Amino acid sequence: MVLNAQNSSFYIGANGGVNLSKFKFTEDLKELYPNSNKILGLNGGIDLGFEIQNFTIATGVQYVQKGSEYQTANFEDENGVGFYSATERLHYVSIPILFGYRKYFGDVVALSIAFGPSINFGVGGKIDDQIEYFGVDGVEQQNYKVLFGEGVNDDYKSTHMGFQISPGLIYKVNENSKLKFNVTWDFGTSDMYNSRYKSANDFFADNKGDQLNRTAMFTIGYEYHFSFGDKY
């Protein structure tokens, strides 16, 4: 098969930036935690891809901080009226597989769109939580280490699937170098909790539902292109 290679190349690159993430709860968990707020994190990684005419196929390895703040409504127990709040900070290594299109305007600037699945591997995290009671000075604070795996004591699955949509802007520096600015939305597609842990924990017998992650990443990246030549 013969193609014009004017815009056909293999590229490697690097990217980094910040992201905002939060949890989305369903069913009873949504009623238990009516307030779920975004937290700020960092991301960075390397890119590998092909640009064939206006189309791209890309992957890479990226470190992403995710998590959320969440709170209960006021509740009453033997200690009085109080509320519970927590902040989770989770660390992932993500491998996306993205299919994209770039529309060039002249020789320098292009708009881009890419989408596809992402595989997210949990590598660590922690939970800082507290309970505050009405009329009581101070709060009860605790912190926990988050575990990823398939065991009965592992909070979350070791691997989470996501789906990414990533619009962006491309600036061509020269024949080999391009800068890019992207906003990427990563939607978790399944429950984060490890099913074995969930079935063993009485908390989930009374509180049905799933916990999913939503992340918006803002990144600046660089690509170095190796042209295929006249044919490939």
Side-chain angles (χ1 to χ4, degrees):
M1 183 177 181
V2 178
L3 289 176
N4 184 338
Q6 181 180 358
N7 292 318
S8 299
S9 58
F10 168 75
Y11 65 83
I12 60 174
N15 64 79
V18 298
N19 44 266
L20 295 170
S21 64
K22 63 180 291 187
F23 295 151
K24 178 182 178 181
F25 299 103
T26 66
E27 299 181 59
D28 296 335
L29 292 178
K30 184 177 181 180
E31 294 184 15
L32 180 64
Y33 303 122
N35 300 312
S36 179
N37 304 312
K38 300 180 181 67
I39 65 170
L40 183 67
L42 300 175
N43 65 75
I46 60 173
D47 299 318
L48 300 171
F50 293 94
E51 184 174 357
I52 304 172
Q53 301 301 298
N54 296 93
F55 297 93
T56 59
I57 302 174
T59 185
V61 179
Q62 191 163 37
Y63 164 71
V64 185
Q65 294 178 344
K66 299 183 179 183
S68 188
E69 294 180 351
Y70 50 94
Q71 301 173 344
T72 65
N74 288 354
F75 62 83
E76 186 171 1
D77 62 14
E78 65 275 9
N79 295 313
V81 176
F83 82 99
Y84 171 88
S85 62
T87 300
E88 289 195 34
R89 297 189 181 277
L90 308 175
H91 307 278
Y92 288 88
V93 172
S94 179
I95 299 177
I97 303 173
L98 302 178
F99 303 89
Y101 179 81
R102 295 177 173 181
K103 173 63 176 177
Y104 283 85
F105 299 91
D107 297 327
V108 177
V109 176
L111 295 178
S112 67
I113 183 70
F115 60 90
S118 63
I119 307 172
N120 301 277
F121 301 93
V123 295
K126 68 173 185 175
I127 303 174
D128 296 313
D129 68 7
Q130 64 180 34
I131 299 177
E132 180 179 353
Y133 286 97
F134 175 73
V136 177
D137 293 333
V139 295
E140 299 178 16
Q141 295 182 324
Q142 300 183 84
N143 57 77
Y144 308 91
K145 183 179 180 181
V146 175
L147 299 178
F148 292 87
E150 309 306 322
V152 71
N153 292 309
D154 296 321
D155 307 86
Y156 294 140
K157 300 173 186 174
S158 57
T159 304
H160 299 167
M161 294 300 299
F163 187 84
Q164 294 188 357
I165 300 174
S166 182
L169 177 68
I170 308 293
Y171 179 79
K172 186 175 180 181
V173 179
N174 54 46
E175 289 301 317
N176 299 106
S177 299
K178 295 179 182 180
L179 297 176
K180 59 183 179 181
F181 309 88
N182 286 89
V183 179
T184 302
W185 288 278
D186 193 334
F187 304 90
T189 58
S190 62
D191 188 14
M192 296 172 60
Y193 283 113
N194 166 26
S195 59
R196 192 181 300 275
Y197 166 81
K198 205 170 182 179
S199 63
N201 193 328
D202 290 340
F203 171 84
F204 294 103
D206 299 323
N207 297 280
K208 307 293 185 182
D210 295 340
Q211 177 179 299
L212 302 98
N213 194 269
R214 299 288 185 262
T215 305
M217 297 182 284
F218 306 87
T219 58
I220 299 175
Y222 170 80
E223 297 175 354
Y224 188 86
H225 288 249
F226 302 88
S227 176
F228 289 155
D230 294 332
K231 298 179 181 180
Y232 77 104

